Amino acid sequence: MDTEEPGGPRRTIELLWGVPGPPRRGPKPKLSVEHVVFAGVRVADADGLDAVTMRRIADELGVATMSLYTYVPGRDELLELMLDHAHGELPGELPEGWRAGLAAVAGDLWRLYHRHPWLLEIRAGRPTLGPHTFAKYERELAAMDELDLDDVQLDAIVSLLNGLVAGAARGSVDAARAARRSGMSDVDWWNRSAPVLAGIPAADPARFPRASRVGTTAGQTYGGSSDPEHHFRFGLDRILDGIGQLAGA
């Protein structure tokens, strides 16, 4: 019989692809894996990833906590299922042209992260081997079909784009959370902070001329201390420029 050590990937992969587990005796289950995943997404959307516990999901579904383990082995596996489910929201079509295609890929992921900010908190360490995540990767690669690049270059570009989007989206989500927690906009925060800095001799702008000049100009342009969406768009354009140069496109 083919067995696996506890914590191995087999059951998670089977759950991701809808492969049924071994038959169980007793009454027919009241729920499905999909019910558990949907409940996890609802909780994460409402209260963040830390709120996603087996007890909380059981409460949402009106069942005993231990009964959830009939459907998923544990929280880590549930998070992988939730991640793959969220990737299923990404569109499949692409606009014409590699540059427009990659821009669409990045923009769609940016919007997904803002719909489900908890995705940015998942630190899997390894890729999720589910159908929607495979489809996401396939689409990212398909956007570059016309480019004369080798497979390793294609994979590296996908990784680079994903890193840019995640980093910028994390900055955007964190800024919004800071504004909610403090009750202050970026402008209000700076208007309160600037006089404090001005009263500290060691913070004299003359000691930090570049930081003072660039920070002032950028802040005036952004209307705040930062503009993560501008950073995202700027970084995306520079990456696309570099890809075009690399591929001679």
Side-chain angles (χ1 to χ4, degrees), residues 96-142:
E96 290 290 330
W98 70 267
R99 190 174 183 114
L102 287 177
V105 162
D108 291 334
L109 190 57
W110 168 269
R111 288 182 286 275
L112 181 70
Y113 283 143
H114 284 80
R115 287 197 302 274
H116 304 297
W118 51 268
L119 289 169
L120 295 163
E121 300 172 36
I122 295 179
R123 302 288 193 269
R126 293 190 175 104
T128 294
L129 303 179
H132 298 306
T133 304
F134 275 31
K136 171 182 175 291
Y137 186 45
E138 181 73 15
R139 180 179 184 245
E140 292 163 344
L141 295 171

Side-chain angles (χ1 to χ4, degrees), residues 31-127:
L31 302 173
S32 66
V33 173
E34 288 75 16
H35 285 115
V36 179
V37 174
F38 294 162
V41 171
R42 286 197 304 272
V43 169
D45 283 345
D47 298 319
L49 199 65
D50 287 346
V52 179
T53 65
M54 299 300 273
R55 181 186 296 276
R56 173 70 182 276
I57 302 306
D59 290 344
E60 287 284 319
L61 295 170
V63 298
T65 302
M66 290 306 297
S67 70
L68 283 190
Y69 295 95
T70 304
Y71 306 97
V72 294
R75 184 177 186 270
D76 289 345
E77 292 81 3
L78 174 57
L79 295 184
E80 283 208 62
L81 291 163
M82 290 166 55
L83 174 63
D84 191 68
H85 172 79
H87 285 162
E89 296 181 20
L90 293 168
E93 68 280 357
L94 285 167
E96 290 290 330
W98 70 267
R99 190 174 183 114
L102 287 177
V105 162
D108 291 334
L109 190 57
W110 168 269
R111 288 182 286 275
L112 181 70
Y113 283 143
H114 284 80
R115 287 197 302 274
H116 304 297
W118 51 268
L119 289 169
L120 295 163
E121 300 172 36
I122 295 179
R123 302 288 193 269
R126 293 190 175 104

Side-chain angles (χ1 to χ4, degrees), residues 184 186-200:
M184 290 184 288
D186 250 16
V187 173
D188 292 336
W189 171 81
W190 178 246
N191 287 339
R192 294 190 187 188
S193 301
V196 178
L197 280 174
I200 300 175

Side-chain angles (χ1 to χ4, degrees), residues 14 19 25 35 55 74 97 103-104 109 131 133 147 151-152 171 181 198 233 237-238:
E14 290 175 342
V19 177
R25 295 181 179 180
H35 285 115
R55 181 186 296 276
L109 190 57
T133 304
L147 297 179
D151 288 349
V152 175
R181 284 196 304 266
R233 300 294 175 191
D237 283 343
R238 301 294 74 75

Side-chain angles (χ1 to χ4, degrees), residues 200-220:
I200 300 175
D204 186 345
R207 293 188 62 202
F208 312 100
R210 299 169 188 82
S212 179
R213 184 191 77 247
V214 173
T216 298
T217 303
Q220 290 171 346

Side-chain angles (χ1 to χ4, degrees), residues 211-245:
S212 179
R213 184 191 77 247
V214 173
T216 298
T217 303
Q220 290 171 346
T221 301
Y222 301 151
S225 62
S226 182
D227 185 347
E229 185 166 4
H230 170 79
H231 300 158
F232 163 59
R233 300 294 175 191
F234 179 84
L236 177 60
D237 283 343
R238 301 294 74 75
I239 288 174
L240 295 178
D241 290 345
I243 293 169
Q245 186 174 13

